[in-house]
Amino acid sequence: WAHRVAATDHADAQLSGDLVAEAAREAAAGNLPRAATLLLWSADLTEDRALREHRFLTAAVHTFFSHNGNGILAGHQLRQAVDACRPCAMRTILQSGYAYQNGSFHEALRLGERGLAEAEAEGDRSLIIQACVRLSNGAFHSGDRQTGSKLARRAVEEGAGLAGSANLQWTLGCGMLFTDGPREVLGEPWITALPDAPEATRVTDTIVLVNRGHCRLALGELHSAQADFAEVIKPGRAEGVSALARIHASFNLAICQYLLGD
């Protein structure tokens, strides 16, 4: 792909479309940095401004969710170019996410509200889900935890049956731990559906073990909590689980080990 792009000195609809298709395959496999690179190349080869900006903003979304050696703010390298795009739901949702990561929670909340309204007007289900998550984070960290949990639950309901739904459940579970307590979280259907033995959990549901581990730790069930957290970061099991979830699992596993005398 790099050689084909380098050999092209003009807009190329066929090549840019091929790059979009390949980026979709990479994203589905969880390789977001690679998907972002392919989409950025595609955008450079796209003549129509609206399509070019859509491809660029999609790349920016992938970059936003790519936690790498440069840290959680690595995705901000595209922020100025995002701001230069024409107003739309995807642009506003990204801006809300940037504000959230910078600790500007009230600004994230304001932009999240606008992003949700724009996503609803555009009728894009995936953007509505993203907007609910961004708005939920802003509300939660601005002190309105009940609203944060309510919005996270809407994201879960909107995302039912879609790829990545376990990530949305994890977000809701983290919020509910503070608003409703660990016993209520343990009663959620995606938690009760987990097998008792964490190693029997499907790869796609591994992230939800963090929720169950949180609750078990909060209730003093240290051995079972330790088993849940250890499974999340087990080599070969962590693939496809977000870096943030692995971080949660790692430091909570350390807490369990410490309290157990290890």
Side-chain angles (χ1 to χ4, degrees):
W1 292 112
H3 286 294
R4 290 181 62 185
V5 170
T8 303
D9 59 2
H10 58 276
D12 187 326
Q14 180 63 51
L15 179 54
S16 61
D18 291 344
L19 287 164
V20 169
E22 181 67 13
R25 286 190 286 271
E26 292 285 2
N31 193 356
L32 297 185
R34 179 62 175 167
T37 296
L38 294 168
L39 283 168
L40 290 173
W41 289 345
S42 175
D44 286 342
L45 297 173
T46 302
E47 191 167 19
D48 178 76
R49 179 181 177 183
L51 186 56
R52 180 173 68 250
E53 289 188 350
H54 182 271
R55 291 170 174 175
F56 168 76
L57 290 171
T58 304
V61 170
H62 290 330
T63 303
F64 181 89
F65 288 113
S66 300
H67 301 162
N68 53 47
N70 294 321
I72 199 169
L73 300 182
H76 288 223
Q77 61 186 306
L78 299 177
R79 180 165 188 177
Q80 286 187 331
V82 168
D83 291 341
C85 291
R86 289 183 291 190
C88 65
M90 194 181 301
R91 172 181 179 263
T92 306
I93 292 165
L94 273 164
Q95 291 171 326
S96 177
Y98 293 144
Y100 170 77
Q101 286 189 338
N102 281 331
S104 303
F105 301 132
H106 290 290
E107 177 70 1
L109 186 60
R110 182 185 69 80
L111 289 167
E113 289 173 343
R114 182 197 300 173
L116 179 56
E118 291 173 342
E120 289 173 335
E122 294 175 17
D124 189 317
R125 184 182 178 191
S126 66
L127 289 178
I128 290 173
I129 294 169
Q130 288 185 46
C132 284
V133 172
R134 297 273 72 80
L135 186 51
S136 172
N137 289 337
F140 190 86
H141 288 89
S142 296
D144 189 352
R145 292 176 172 177
Q146 291 292 342
T147 297
S149 289
K150 181 179 178 181
L151 287 159
R153 185 170 295 282
R154 180 181 174 186
V156 168
E157 293 169 351
E158 293 277 359
L162 298 180
S165 59
N167 294 293
L168 301 173
Q169 293 163 353
W170 173 69
T171 300
L172 174 57
C174 289
M176 284 184 66
L177 190 63
F178 292 92
T179 58
D180 301 281
R183 295 194 187 278
E184 288 294 319
V185 180
L186 288 174
E188 287 293 309
W190 66 86
I191 299 289
T192 58
L194 290 173
D196 291 334
E199 62 271 16
T201 303
R202 297 182 305 174
V203 172
T204 52
D205 292 333
T206 303
I207 189 173
V208 188
L209 287 174
V210 181
N211 287 149
R212 191 170 73 178
H214 280 158
C215 297
R216 289 173 162 178
L217 174 56
L219 294 171
E221 300 171 5
L222 300 180
H223 289 285
S224 55
Q226 178 178 243
D228 282 346
F229 293 133
E231 188 64 30
V232 174
I233 62 172
K234 182 187 292 184
R237 290 282 281 176
E239 185 177 352
V241 179
S242 74
L244 196 57
R246 293 198 300 272
I247 292 168
H248 273 264
S250 296
F251 67 65
N252 281 287
L253 175 59
I255 292 171
C256 291
Q257 292 167 333
Y258 176 81
L259 294 174
L260 289 168
D262 185 358

